[in-house]
Amino acid sequence: MNKPKKRPFAELVKENKLQLLRDQEAMEKIEQRLEKKHIRKAK
């Protein structure tokens, strides 16, 4: 069996970012969390 190829962290981050950008539902959840966070800080 072959060992899985280790990828650099930057490559993993880039791949994760692209997946999130394609996943509209996940993006909406992130945006909602950020909005709540900003609202709490503003109070």
Side-chain angles (χ1 to χ4, degrees), residues 7-41:
R7 295 188 297 193
F9 181 74
E11 186 178 320
L12 293 173
V13 169
K14 184 178 177 181
E15 185 177 309
N16 192 21
K17 181 179 175 183
L18 290 173
Q19 282 181 333
L20 280 173
L21 289 173
R22 283 189 231 118
D23 186 351
Q24 194 61 34
E25 186 177 328
M27 285 295 290
E28 289 174 11
K29 285 182 183 179
I30 292 170
E31 288 172 358
Q32 288 173 357
R33 278 196 311 211
L34 287 173
E35 285 178 23
K36 287 179 185 176
K37 184 177 179 180
H38 290 295
I39 290 171
R40 275 188 268 133
K41 283 189 174 183

